[in-house]
Amino acid sequence: MRRLRTAVLAHVQTWRPYTVWYVGLLGLAGAGLAGERRALWLVVAWAIPTLGWLGGHYLSDWFDRDLDAVSKPHRPIPSGRLAARTALVWGSTAMLAVAVLAVVGGWPTAVVAACAVAAVVAYGLHLKASGLGGNLVRGLLGALTLLFGAAVVPMFDRRVLVFAVAFWLHDCASNLVGTLRDVAGDAAGGYRTLPVRRGTPAAVWTAVACYTAAMVAAAAGAGPGHLVPLAAVAAVGAVALAPLVPRRRALPVRVALRAHEVLVLERLGLAATVVALGLGATTAVALLVPMAALTWWTQRRMRTWYELGPADRPAERTADV
């Protein structure tokens, strides 16, 4: 029983349950913007990207297994609680399932799904370690998720493209903030991320610029009638990013981690704002409230340990690299 509990926990940790709600909301937002109202296809727009997201986490941890062995040995694969082969099988199976289901949905969903799978593989194999290009490709997954949701519908709304740009820039910014907590480990593992290459100040300012551009694009898509909830989302984003700027030259790992935790919550609000445009404010709020609560609770329970390890392990300052 203890071995089973350990194995189950290793899988749950690999899922990063504090991240899974976002991608489903994005798929739903795309379908809603495109005019979908049928329950079955809304579920499809939700479930397939979520399955791909989970599979992507397995593959990401498989690609990063050597890096994690150096910088994060407590994680499931390097700690031996999850076999690398098991992670590869589960991740590949999930991606294969996404591909099959996307083909069943028609050529538009198949094309978008193929692009997403290619982005996951390219990011894990090479681009994550290669600087800003990796952040841009990782951010592209959010845009593709929105496009996938829209692709399940025969009709198309031009706002989908505007919001795809917004989520691309937003998720690029979020991913950049994520790299700020891993500078020392990435440098030790040979990963030439933007903060490793150019320093944390350059990464912080690039993240702020991407986030600002994302909000401008989102405002253009939302129109005047929905700027109030968008302004509330932007205020949360500012709370996340503001502590990074004055400490950008000597940025503690925990400050970067907390900023990313706030962005993980903030992006739920951004996705829910777009859901409201297509499916109504009541639906958006009914989804956002429990998802935000679950995200907050799972981050509080799991996130710090998963990223930084046991409490007695010293945290490193990223700016010294």
Side-chain angles (χ1 to χ4, degrees):
M1 181 62 71
R2 183 176 181 180
R3 291 182 63 183
L4 176 61
R5 184 164 55 247
T6 299
V8 170
L9 180 59
H11 282 279
V12 172
Q13 289 170 342
T14 302
W15 298 343
R16 279 82 138 179
Y18 36 84
T19 69
V20 297
W21 307 110
Y22 171 63
V23 68
L25 269 183
L26 275 184
L28 196 61
L33 277 179
E36 184 59 76
R37 298 297 182 271
R38 295 168 294 177
L40 174 61
W41 289 105
L42 290 175
V43 170
V44 168
W46 173 288
I48 294 180
T50 301
L51 177 61
W53 191 265
L54 294 175
H57 279 316
Y58 279 108
L59 293 180
S60 176
D61 282 4
W62 185 80
F63 286 127
D64 288 347
R65 63 195 186 279
D66 293 333
L67 174 66
D68 286 345
V70 174
S71 61
K72 300 180 181 180
H74 57 280
R75 282 189 169 184
I77 292 179
S79 68
R81 293 178 293 115
L82 179 67
R85 181 176 180 179
T86 300
L88 178 61
V89 169
W90 279 67
S92 301
T93 301
M95 290 301 184
L96 179 61
V98 166
V100 171
L101 292 170
V103 168
V104 172
W107 72 264
T109 55
V111 169
V112 176
C115 291
V117 172
V120 169
V121 174
Y123 178 75
L125 278 176
H126 175 67
L127 293 176
K128 180 178 180 179
S130 64
L132 184 59
N135 305 119
L136 290 170
V137 170
R138 178 61 181 78
L140 186 61
L141 292 177
L144 290 172
T145 300
L146 188 80
L147 292 174
F148 181 90
V152 305
V153 187
M155 299 180 65
F156 192 78
D157 189 307
R158 66 173 183 82
R159 292 178 299 173
V160 172
L161 294 178
V162 177
F163 280 113
V165 172
F167 283 107
W168 184 4
L169 291 167
H170 179 281
D171 288 6
C172 179
S174 176
N175 188 246
L176 272 167
V177 173
T179 65
L180 291 170
R181 67 172 185 263
D182 292 331
V183 178
D186 286 342
Y191 278 45
R192 305 295 293 170
T193 62
L194 183 62
V196 172
R197 286 171 175 261
R198 304 295 183 185
T200 53
V204 167
W205 286 124
T206 303
V208 170
C210 287
Y211 185 85
T212 302
M215 290 298 104
V216 171
H226 293 84
L227 291 182
V228 172
L230 191 60
V233 170
V236 177
V239 169
L241 296 174
L244 303 180
V245 175
R247 308 183 75 172
R248 61 190 181 276
R249 297 189 182 280
L251 185 61
V253 170
R254 291 183 183 275
V255 172
L257 176 59
R258 294 295 175 260
H260 196 262
E261 288 175 347
V262 176
L263 286 175
V264 165
L265 288 165
E266 173 268 349
R267 66 188 185 185
L268 290 174
L270 181 58
T273 300
V274 183
V275 170
L277 291 174
L279 299 176
T282 301
T283 298
V285 172
L287 292 170
L288 175 61
V289 171
M291 290 176 188
L294 284 169
T295 299
W296 175 84
W297 182 75
T298 50
Q299 282 204 120
R300 185 178 177 85
R301 296 276 296 180
M302 302 175 63
R303 189 76 190 273
T304 299
W305 180 90
Y306 191 76
E307 298 297 343
L308 304 184
D312 58 351
R313 185 182 177 203
E316 296 147 324
R317 296 176 68 89
T318 64
D320 296 334
V321 176

